[in-house]
Amino acid sequence: KKVDFDKYAGSRAKVALKRPLDGNRRNFRGILGGLDSGCVVLETDDGESYRLPLEDIHRANLVYEWK
């Protein structure tokens, strides 16, 4: 749900898109930055920041880290 992206901002997540972003990447993993103007903000493990259009998201799941 849209509200979950803001609710879980700061949490680790993996996001799969329906179609590749910029023609080359569909799967992302990183820290959720919340929802901004219809896009999910995600900072990946390699330090890149992406704005993923909400309508293009196929699946999004939290990633739990066991300690």
Side-chain angles (χ1 to χ4, degrees):
K1 296 178 186 177
K2 283 172 42 170
V3 295
D4 290 336
F5 290 105
D6 281 329
K7 180 179 178 181
Y8 293 104
S11 299
R12 292 189 56 73
K14 59 183 178 178
V15 178
L17 300 178
K18 296 175 187 173
R19 58 182 164 266
L21 182 70
D22 298 331
N24 61 359
R25 188 172 178 181
R26 287 186 52 213
N27 298 304
F28 299 84
R29 183 183 288 249
I31 305 294
L32 286 174
L35 195 60
D36 181 38
S37 302
C39 291
V40 174
V41 178
L42 186 82
E43 186 174 329
T44 60
D45 296 335
D46 59 3
E48 295 290 322
S49 184
Y50 291 93
R51 294 175 53 82
L52 309 172
L54 191 59
E55 66 271 3
D56 290 344
I57 293 178
H58 173 66
R59 179 181 21 225
N61 300 97
L62 294 177
V63 175
Y64 295 100
E65 295 179 5
W66 304 100
K67 295 181 180 187

